[in-house]
Amino acid sequence: MQITIDQDLSLRTITLEDAEKVFALTDASREYLKEWLPWLDYTKEVADTKAYIEGCIKGHESKSSLSLVILFNHEIVGIAGFNAINPNNNIGTIGYWLSEGAQGHGIMTKTVKALLQYAFETLQLHKVEIRVAETNHKSRAIPERLGLIKEGTIRSAEWLYDHYVDHVAYGMLVSEWQQQK
């Protein structure tokens, strides 16, 4: 699957062929990403990234998740998609990360907007959620900029290496998406 956002930016389903590039990107951004992502200590070699991608492929096949590489000027610069898709409740949870060098180009805002469109218009979801560490102001700006509603704070929602962080939960209903169009 591919989603073209503009001439410089697109999303594509992650494949095993992406493992070396995704690992290299992760490794190069390791210290930057470690501030907010809990899995970097478990991603030490290409084989770890391959195992992650195999899980992504299974999630896509079972329609329980969807992981996409973010391509900016034809280079992988991050990952975005639906960490979970709940078909019983028609709710999808968006997750994303972007390499440090790709920051500041509006890439993630455009990516999340494209994922919202895909969620509501293709997957026919009723609601999309995004959960972000409370003090991750850059990441929180994305759902806020796109009109998602702050629904609350989940205390001690995630363990980040040596401490817990609270998450702010944002949500958008299909009716709210339709009003924005």
Side-chain angles (χ1 to χ4, degrees):
M1 181 189 95
Q2 179 144 349
I3 299 171
T4 300
I5 298 171
D6 61 33
Q7 66 182 17
D8 300 322
L9 185 61
S10 63
L11 307 173
R12 172 180 56 71
T13 307
I14 196 167
T15 67
L16 281 172
E17 289 76 27
D18 297 320
E20 288 187 26
K21 288 182 182 178
V22 171
F23 176 76
L25 185 66
T26 302
D27 205 36
S29 299
R30 185 174 300 278
E31 288 309 309
Y32 172 75
L33 295 172
K34 202 168 183 179
E35 183 176 6
W36 303 115
L37 299 174
W39 45 264
L40 287 136
D41 283 352
Y42 306 105
T43 307
K44 297 179 181 176
E45 55 189 68
V46 175
D48 299 325
T49 300
K50 282 183 181 177
Y52 160 75
I53 293 171
E54 287 169 352
C56 293
I57 292 167
K58 287 179 183 171
H60 182 64
E61 288 170 350
S62 69
K63 299 184 186 321
S64 63
S65 65
L66 176 62
S67 296
L68 307 164
V69 291
I70 303 168
L71 299 165
F72 183 63
N73 294 324
H74 308 288
E75 295 294 325
I76 295 173
V77 295
I79 303 286
F82 298 93
N83 292 340
I85 299 171
N86 180 326
N88 294 327
N89 294 314
N90 290 317
I91 296 173
T93 304
I94 291 177
Y96 47 82
W97 65 266
L98 193 63
S99 65
E100 186 173 15
Q103 303 280 323
H105 300 284
I107 292 170
M108 199 53 77
T109 299
K110 291 177 188 177
T111 294
V112 173
K113 185 175 182 180
L115 289 172
L116 290 168
Q117 180 176 1
Y118 185 78
F120 294 126
E121 296 178 13
T122 301
L123 297 178
Q124 300 291 301
L125 296 180
H126 175 71
K127 181 179 182 181
V128 171
E129 297 177 342
I130 298 175
R131 295 182 181 190
V132 182
E134 187 174 40
T135 55
N136 188 343
H137 300 290
K138 281 184 179 180
S139 191
R140 285 185 59 187
I142 295 162
E144 291 171 3
R145 192 177 299 126
L146 293 172
L148 280 80
I149 305 298
K150 180 181 173 185
E151 296 184 339
T153 301
I154 302 162
R155 298 176 303 141
S156 294
E158 185 173 43
W159 177 255
L160 280 179
Y161 306 100
D162 62 357
H163 66 287
Y164 283 98
V165 295
D166 296 346
H167 279 184
V168 177
Y170 294 91
M172 179 178 277
L173 304 177
V174 67
S175 58
E176 295 162 342
W177 170 257
Q178 291 166 342
Q179 288 173 358
Q180 282 188 2
K181 290 177 69 178

